[in-house]
Amino acid sequence: HMAEAPYKRIYRILKTAVQERKLLPGVILPGEICLAESYQVSRPTVRKALQMLAAEGLMECHAGVGWSVLSSDPPPRTGRRRELVIGTDLIEEDWEGAFYYRPFLRGMRHAAENQNCRLQLIRLDPEKGITPGPVDAAALARTNPKEYSRLAQIAGNGTPVILLNRMPPQQELAYLSVDYREEARRAVDYLILIGHRKIAVVSESPNSMACAERTAGWRSAFQQNHQPIPEELNRQEISISGLEEFLRRNRPTALFVTSGRCVVPALLAAERARMRIPEDLSFFSFDDTGAACLTDSMISCVKMPLETMGEQAVDYLCRRCDNPAEQPIVRKILSATLAINESCQRVEGGKS
């Protein structure tokens, strides 16, 4: 059995004292430093416990006065006394932001309107942590694995953190994610099903975690169909001239691109190589680039439930802030759907 976190212990002691009316409404508590000394913990630990009690409507803090007891019974559920601030690293400015981050933000804004909370743009600073602060919680979609342990520390100190489309091993971090490898496998499996064998995979760089996971899904589709993996068709660079040469040399019958950034260069390269879509080349993209794409035809893609993720993330963080004892850390995989459009065509008899 894990030892109870110090802030939870103090939260429990004070909450019990309020509920049993040992601390009456209106009573002003000793200062945070004084409380920290008496419980033999740090001041931030005490503050965390008091903020949890405040979120439940049992305490409030006044500048120059300190913390006082509000009431011995919590207010109704949605009657949070103050607006929560949820930090996010999502921006819409860049091209990727248009098709990838925007649906997340739509879902987050929708939930925030219903939850009495506002979103604030933040970043993770290696020294200072989350800036600009303070925030009550954070929903992040641009983090990399090097930052996970720092974020786990922040979450462990009582600021709930949820990552979107990341699956960190640290148990303190909540996440909502699509399984990139599995969804890519399903997409390539579909291409194999309609007769393709020469399926090329294109990613922007070997260093992208997302592209690496999706390329692993491409491999496992071949393995599960007992087909040799065509490693010579794995292209990890997206210059148009390089891709054109790659297509002319290998003449694949299908192309699986692992991210939205690869879509336009791959389409332009196919055009230069005089490969028509879908007559000569079936085309499948992992990201749904939607209107951000330059084609007349609809491109088959993996549709991720990004808006739902954004909405669920904010709902979760609000519950976790309002009632940490009752809201466990969420670590959940969501399913994507395959949107099959006219960019894919069957290859007769499986010959390629």
Side-chain angles (χ1 to χ4, degrees), residues 251-270:
R251 306 298 296 181
T253 62
L255 197 57
F256 175 62
V257 301
T258 57
S259 78
R261 283 209 186 103
C262 308
V263 171
V264 172
L267 289 169
L268 291 171

Side-chain angles (χ1 to χ4, degrees), residues 23-339:
L23 284 174
L24 291 169
V27 167
I28 292 170
L29 271 66
E32 288 177 3
I33 295 170
C34 184
L35 285 169
E37 282 170 7
S38 60
Y39 289 115
Q40 295 181 317
V41 294
S42 70
R43 186 177 176 180
T45 302
V46 165
R47 181 174 299 160
K48 166 84 183 102
L50 293 166
Q51 283 171 340
M52 284 165 67
L53 292 162
E56 290 183 32
L58 299 176
M59 301 262 172
E60 68 180 353
C61 183
H62 288 291
V65 179
W67 290 91
S68 62
V69 180
L70 262 181
S71 79
S72 48
D73 33 22
R77 285 296 294 131
T78 50
R80 189 186 311 119
R81 299 188 66 84
R82 62 180 190 86
E83 183 180 58
L84 285 179
V85 180
I86 293 181
T88 179
D89 58 355
L90 289 167
I91 53 165
E92 294 179 71
E93 275 64 80
D94 57 347
W95 183 74
E96 194 173 4
F99 70 84
Y100 181 63
Y101 298 130
R102 189 170 290 160
F104 278 136
L105 277 166
R106 244 198 327 268
M108 287 170 73
R109 286 183 185 130
H110 183 241
E113 280 165 22
N114 299 332
Q115 291 274 10
N116 184 24
C117 66
R118 68 183 168 86
L119 304 177
Q120 176 175 309
L121 188 62
I122 53 163
R123 63 187 180 81
L124 184 66
D125 181 285
E127 257 66 280
K128 303 182 199 133
I130 287 172
T131 73
V135 295
D136 295 291
L140 306 170
R142 299 165 79 109
T143 52
N144 67 60
K146 292 190 191 81
E147 299 171 321
Y148 292 169
S149 56
R150 183 80 179 88
L151 289 167
Q153 213 181 343
I154 290 168
N157 289 336
T159 301
V161 176
I162 190 165
L163 304 189
L164 300 169
N165 265 341
R166 298 286 184 269
M167 292 191 267
Q170 289 82 353
Q171 295 299 311
E172 300 91 330
L173 295 173
Y175 68 73
L176 292 169
S177 184
V178 162
D179 184 336
Y180 285 168
R181 188 178 298 204
E182 172 55 20
E183 299 297 349
R185 185 200 64 74
R186 286 177 57 216
V188 177
D189 189 63
Y190 168 76
L191 291 169
I192 293 173
L193 179 75
I194 62 171
H196 292 277
R197 294 296 174 270
K198 286 182 76 171
I199 304 166
V201 61
V202 172
S203 30
E204 53 193 294
S205 93
N207 309 327
S208 152
M209 179 275 298
C211 291
E213 281 295 298
R214 295 165 189 184
T215 303
W218 168 81
R219 285 194 190 94
S220 67
F222 283 102
Q223 283 169 329
Q224 291 191 10
N225 282 283
H226 308 292
Q227 297 289 329
I229 298 167
E231 278 302 339
E232 72 283 358
L233 297 180
N234 176 4
R235 172 90 185 167
Q236 297 181 320
E237 185 271 338
I238 54 170
S239 71
I240 297 164
S241 53
L243 275 174
E244 179 194 349
E245 196 271 326
F246 168 78
L247 291 173
R248 285 183 186 276
R249 189 175 69 245
N250 293 290
R251 306 298 296 181
T253 62
L255 197 57
F256 175 62
V257 301
T258 57
S259 78
R261 283 209 186 103
C262 308
V263 171
V264 172
L267 289 169
L268 291 171
E271 197 176 320
R272 285 192 187 177
R274 299 209 153 73
M275 294 177 81
R276 296 160 305 157
I277 292 164
E279 294 83 354
D280 308 313
L281 186 67
S282 286
F283 199 102
F284 211 117
S285 163
F286 192 98
D287 287 328
D288 176 11
T289 53
C293 198
L294 308 174
T295 57
D296 303 332
S297 64
M298 293 289 286
I299 286 177
S300 304
C301 64
V302 174
K303 262 195 183 318
M304 296 187 275
L306 304 177
E307 194 165 336
T308 304
M309 274 186 208
E311 197 159 344
Q312 287 187 10
V314 169
D315 285 342
Y316 159 77
L317 291 173
C318 289
R319 287 197 305 275
R320 184 93 185 146
C321 288
D322 289 345
N323 207 339
E326 281 176 28
Q327 173 57 56
I329 290 174
V330 162
R331 293 168 69 83
K332 186 164 133 193
I333 298 286
L334 303 179
S335 309
T337 49
L338 295 185

